Amino acid sequence: MKPSSSAKSLRLVVLVSGRGTNLGAIIDAAQKQIIQSKIKLVISNQPKALALERAKKAGIPYQIIPSQGRDQQKFFNDLKTAVAAQKPDLIILAGFMKILPRDFTQKFRYKIINIHPALLPSFPGLHAQKQALEAGVAVTGCTVHFVDEGCDTGSIILQKTERLQPGDTEETLSQRLLQKEHACLVEAIKLFEEEKVVLQGDQTLLRKS
Ligand code: GRF
């Protein structure tokens, strides 16, 4: 997938809490110039997140803002200040395990996106893959959506589907979904670069060209 000539380079801030394979996919896409955008800062609320190692290895600035055992209002204020200082075009939640408060989502309205391992609005929240297995659906998938103050409730931007297979476990399904998540997130960033994400009220539509 090559970038179109009209693709803009966006200032990205990526928020993480864990192993960071989605962050890895963005780093990879930037290095291969599949996307034009630059990750200006990676922020983790978990000091030991593996994602930080990925940022370090790629030479991307990172910051730890611990959330545990702290006043949560103070944590989110620090986070807001650090994010705002980067003047981001797009804030990407890539396995960031906190629900952002309203003042945060309002400040960066329609600039925050999240990747979720299910076809929202089905199976929001934790263990989305397990929820899909237990519901007995034939098809699940992943979703990139705008972030509001709810849990995985913001307007949907892009989705990819994945069929459940006989004998699937939470692990096997999660593994296959992860590949789709990486592709979906990179594709979503490209859509923003090409200014193809259009809002109509609270609904997100994609421009074809
Ligand atoms: C992914 O499944 C993502 O959809 C969910 O948390 C997981 C993070 O994985 N929000 P990683 O840290 O990007 O590997």
Side-chain angles (χ1 to χ4, degrees), residues 50-113:
L50 192 61
L52 293 169
E53 296 304 317
R54 295 180 198 271
K56 201 189 283 184
K57 203 167 153 213
I60 295 168
Y62 62 89
Q63 193 174 339
I64 300 164
I65 304 180
S67 58
Q68 220 174 339
R70 292 186 64 200
D71 180 287
Q72 292 302 287
Q73 189 59 50
K74 281 202 183 102
F75 161 69
F76 284 117
N77 281 344
D78 289 352
L79 187 65
K80 195 161 61 177
T81 305
V83 170
Q86 298 303 318
K87 300 195 177 4
D89 298 305
L90 200 58
I91 301 155
I92 302 171
L93 309 192
F96 182 66
M97 304 304 283
K98 299 290 272 181
I99 295 177
L100 296 168
R102 189 175 164 78
D103 64 322
F104 194 111
T105 58
Q106 288 292 318
K107 180 170 174 66
F108 303 107
R109 193 147 168 78
Y110 297 119
K111 280 191 175 183
I112 317 171
I113 62 171

Side-chain angles (χ1 to χ4, degrees), residues 116-185:
H116 181 75
L119 293 177
L120 293 170
S122 293
F123 316 132
L126 293 175
H127 307 296
Q129 304 92 334
K130 187 162 176 258
Q131 292 185 54
L133 279 165
E134 286 175 356
V137 292
V139 175
T140 183
C142 61
T143 304
V144 173
H145 63 96
F146 281 115
V147 173
D148 59 18
E149 62 275 19
C151 178
D152 302 322
T153 48
S155 170
I156 291 168
I157 300 165
L158 200 60
Q159 296 185 303
K160 285 190 185 290
T161 58
E162 177 66 32
R163 278 198 75 82
L164 276 80
Q165 291 176 9
D168 253 343
T169 61
E170 193 180 352
E171 287 69 36
T172 59
L173 179 59
S174 301
Q175 204 48 47
R176 286 204 313 287
L177 276 175
L178 207 49
Q179 305 310 314
K180 295 265 162 107
E181 289 182 39
H182 298 167
C184 199
L185 193 50

